[in-house]
Amino acid sequence: MKDFLLQVTSQQELVPGVFSLTLKGFTQEYEPGQFVQVEVAENYEPFLRRPISICDVEDNNLQLVYRLKGRGTKLLAKKKPGDKVRVLGPIGYGFPLKSQRATLIGGGIGVPPLLGLAKKMHGQGMEVTALLGFKNKEEAILLSEFAKYADLQVATLDGSSGRRGLVTELITNKDDLVYACGPEGLFRTLETLGVKGYYSLEKRMACGVGVCLGCNITVIKDEKELRQRVCHDGPVFPIGSVKWGD
Amino acid sequence: MIDIGGAKLKNPFMSASGCFGYGQEFAKIMELNSLGAIVVKGVSLEPWPGNKGVRVAETPAGMLNAIGLENPGIDYFLTHYLPWLNEKKIPVVVNIVGRSVDEYALVAQRLNETGVTALELNISCPNVKEGGIAFGTSKEKAFEVVSAVRKETSLPLWVKLSPNVTDIVEMALAVEEAGADALTLINTLTGMVIDIETGKPLLGNLTGGLSGPAIKPIAVRMIYQVAQKVKVPIVGVGGITSLDDALEFFMAGASAVQVGSALFRDPLLLSRLPGELESYLAKKQTNLGAIIGLARRNS
């Protein structure tokens, strides 16, 4: 982990409200699933950095794909090529690779961190299936990129692209190790289905480095309840280990 | 060397409790030795689970937190964190919390002969019902708990005061009389954020402690007021984000300062401040002692 001052090389609106920001000079190795803390304004308003998952790193170019949500991401979306942005990272523990086959399951803005994962798995000769779910065709992102590294299937709630329904309905092989990122409802469905693997959590954070305890959750490990920090001990946790709503 | 009630620090910049953990996370990105001291997250007699639900919220020029003093307890601190900190040769100030006078006293007792540099009694956390702020808003209770801890320890005893009182000077005098060697001011101010989508308070604890630049003028004012009335040194804290901010605290009467939530945005700030202060003093051809309390002498 290092605090970088990176230069924006591109800023692109992929679909309305979802941006892809590329910053050059990110010289640290990363594991897919890790995230960075991005300073969005040079003054202290807004006060906190924004935690954003790493979509991909190629030749020290860091790609972040984020959704316009509040005043922080609004300021971030205004950054232009040449602007400097302070970025702390990579933070946390990413997805562990443990098998020859894997199913990646992403929902909405949970999709981006799985791209770097698909690329890494493909690079290691793994057989990768990517199941991506979106509200509709207009919100579908990164499809051609995923198609390079994985057998891609898409689901949309309105059926405007791929299969109509939830992304979890695309699961055919429950024996594959699953790597998921998306809303809590998706994670709970995966738990109900009894699949094994990992999910990457999103939680309101302040420090992002494990000191403030703002993002603490309870996880169950070896039948014991443990307090863990999503930022420092995650954001990736084994499917089924999180005690929801605690 | 700076002397804060018997605690010797090589520079006047410290972490604020709860914003630096027990040092291990920040050690990955900076030299802990650059700090005057590390003030660790509040430690209680038994492990505390902290508050449920949302614990942090961003606010204008600051943030609210309602962690609820989640900590692993004094035994775990002594076996898992303190040996590591002692190896780093950095002064360790242990922030201690309790639900009762006895609990505070027992934690203080356990820290005797452990090599720590000072105790910082937290009688001002707004996020726990018993203990914490209950002691920090009544001068009688504050006197009682500080006196009890004083009997158990010969370590430098700092007391962190709450700004959530009508008369900060009255609290400071009570605590000084009870035997405090220094005062830390201020802790966070109680605040609330309402989620307009749900129509409910956002934080699980309903209220939280406000920190960040938003509270800096209040901290400066309280230090200025208290410094005129007490003899013990003051450790200033509350919204410091730069050397200029720290200078205001010194000029108001603080002998040292702590940096808290600014580290969440600028994690390397504490590693830069000592050098920036040295450059400032050299440029102005002055020394820290001449700056401390300058605003009071000038007004």
Side-chain angles (χ1 to χ4, degrees):
Chain A
M1 179 170 49
K2 198 180 152 191
D3 200 20
F4 291 94
L5 186 62
L6 303 178
Q7 192 179 0
V8 175
T9 53
S10 80
Q11 169 92 268
Q12 199 194 343
E13 191 165 11
L14 298 178
V15 297
V18 178
F19 289 77
S20 172
L21 177 71
T22 309
L23 302 139
K24 75 171 181 193
F26 191 74
T27 51
Q28 290 222 322
E29 295 268 319
Y30 96 106
E31 290 171 20
Q34 288 184 301
F35 69 100
V36 291
Q37 278 274 78
V38 183
E39 189 182 274
V40 291
E42 278 174 30
N43 56 25
Y44 275 82
E45 191 54 39
F47 184 57
L48 298 170
R49 293 195 185 204
R50 296 297 185 263
I52 299 177
S53 62
I54 297 173
C55 175
D56 191 16
V57 178
E58 174 107 36
D59 300 330
N60 299 339
N61 290 304
L62 170 69
Q63 187 190 4
L64 305 175
V65 173
Y66 60 95
R67 178 187 283 158
L68 207 66
K69 208 173 164 190
R71 44 191 197 138
T73 43
K74 245 180 227 166
L75 285 167
L76 193 60
K78 287 187 182 144
K79 307 276 183 200
K80 293 180 187 67
D83 288 352
K84 297 274 175 66
V85 180
R86 209 164 268 291
V87 171
L88 179 74
I91 304 174
Y93 294 93
F95 290 106
L97 304 196
K98 290 192 167 169
S99 56
Q100 262 313 298
R101 291 182 42 81
T103 296
L104 277 45
I105 303 178
I109 202 62
V111 163
L114 299 179
L115 179 62
L117 182 65
K119 186 171 135 184
K120 181 176 173 182
M121 287 174 160
H122 179 75
Q124 294 190 3
M126 287 173 60
E127 213 177 307
V128 188
T129 302
L131 312 177
L132 307 182
F134 303 96
K135 223 180 259 173
N136 52 48
K137 191 181 175 184
E138 287 69 39
E139 295 196 5
I141 49 169
L142 304 171
L143 300 186
S144 57
E145 286 83 352
F146 270 95
K148 283 191 247 172
Y149 311 117
D151 171 19
L152 173 67
Q153 293 174 57
V154 175
T156 50
L157 291 179
D158 66 356
S160 55
S161 176
R163 180 185 167 132
R164 180 194 191 108
L166 294 168
V167 67
T168 43
E169 290 162 22
L170 296 170
I171 300 172
T172 48
N173 183 359
K174 282 201 201 173
D175 299 328
D176 263 12
L177 212 49
V178 165
Y179 295 82
C181 190
E184 188 180 313
L186 166 62
F187 299 159
R188 287 182 183 247
T189 306
L190 293 175
E191 288 176 348
T192 311
L193 291 171
V195 297
K196 295 210 165 27
Y198 300 88
Y199 41 45
S200 177
L201 265 61
E202 191 177 53
K203 183 102 180 173
R204 197 180 281 271
M205 291 177 186
C207 73
V209 294
V211 298
C212 79
L213 314 186
C215 63
N216 278 22
I217 56 168
T218 302
V219 302
I220 296 144
K221 197 177 174 185
D222 304 329
E223 290 171 27
K224 277 202 294 201
E225 288 194 359
L226 285 179
R227 295 293 287 168
Q228 302 250 281
R229 297 157 287 183
V230 171
C231 67
H232 184 275
D233 307 315
V236 172
F237 294 92
I239 291 175
S241 67
V242 172
K243 200 176 158 194
W244 300 108
D246 196 31
Chain B
M1 275 290 175
I2 287 153
D3 187 324
I4 306 294
K8 306 274 193 293
L9 318 178
K10 72 174 180 205
N11 72 58
F13 298 103
M14 301 167 243
S15 57
S17 180
C19 299
F20 208 78
Y22 302 95
Q24 297 179 324
E25 295 77 15
F26 275 92
K28 291 180 206 158
I29 51 168
M30 65 180 283
E31 285 292 331
L32 293 188
N33 269 327
S34 55
L35 275 71
I38 168 171
V39 184
V40 300
K41 169 81 179 166
V43 181
S44 53
L45 191 59
E46 305 288 338
W48 285 6
N51 291 324
K52 288 193 181 292
V54 174
R55 289 176 160 194
V56 290
E58 192 175 55
T59 58
M63 62 173 285
L64 286 179
N65 88 80
I67 309 300
L69 291 169
E70 175 169 354
N71 82 91
I74 185 68
D75 288 337
Y76 194 90
F77 171 75
L78 290 173
T79 52
H80 287 74
Y81 296 130
L82 190 60
W84 181 87
L85 283 164
N86 283 341
E87 268 174 37
K88 301 275 163 193
K89 310 263 179 236
I90 171 178
V92 176
V93 178
V94 184
N95 183 283
I96 67 179
V97 298
R99 288 192 201 88
S100 64
V101 170
D102 285 349
E103 282 188 14
Y104 277 101
L106 284 167
V107 177
Q109 199 183 53
R110 298 293 305 278
L111 287 159
N112 285 327
E113 326 266 318
T114 57
V116 305
T117 296
L119 305 184
E120 182 179 72
L121 211 58
N122 182 354
I123 56 168
S124 44
C125 176
N127 299 322
V128 290
K129 286 188 185 71
E130 302 108 5
I133 201 156
F135 291 99
T137 51
S138 147
K139 64 177 179 177
E140 290 78 19
K141 279 190 170 162
F143 183 88
E144 189 190 346
V145 70
V146 175
S147 304
V149 171
R150 181 73 286 173
K151 287 197 192 85
E152 298 298 337
T153 187
S154 53
L155 285 166
L157 178 60
W158 305 357
V159 180
K160 188 167 183 178
L161 297 182
S162 170
N164 301 299
V165 293
T166 311
D167 185 349
I168 189 73
V169 172
E170 176 186 273
M171 295 300 298
L173 288 171
V175 162
E176 183 183 41
E177 197 194 332
D181 297 309
L183 305 176
T184 305
L185 26 136
I186 58 175
N187 206 317
T188 55
L189 286 122
T190 312
M192 180 183 277
V193 167
I194 290 170
D195 180 340
I196 56 170
E197 292 299 321
T198 62
K200 292 178 192 166
L202 178 64
L203 295 172
N205 187 52
L206 308 183
T207 61
L210 180 64
S211 62
I215 72 166
K216 193 189 78 176
I218 300 170
V220 170
R221 183 266 292 180
M222 288 190 162
I223 292 162
Y224 183 94
Q225 288 177 325
V226 169
Q228 310 190 37
K229 303 286 182 184
V230 300
K231 291 181 191 71
V232 296
I234 292 171
V235 178
V237 54
I240 294 174
T241 64
S242 64
L243 179 68
D244 286 1
D245 290 343
L247 290 171
E248 277 196 61
F249 280 67
F250 294 135
M251 289 177 185
S255 299
V257 294
Q258 298 175 351
V259 178
S261 47
L263 299 175
F264 301 168
R265 157 190 198 105
D266 184 0
L268 300 179
L269 178 59
L270 270 172
S271 61
R272 297 195 309 269
L273 286 172
E276 288 181 13
L277 176 64
E278 268 185 44
S279 306
Y280 171 86
L281 295 174
K283 198 174 127 205
K284 295 274 178 185
Q285 297 188 325
T286 184
N287 59 70
L288 185 60
I291 290 176
I292 294 168
L294 184 67
R296 288 185 293 116
R297 293 192 294 278
N298 283 346
S299 52

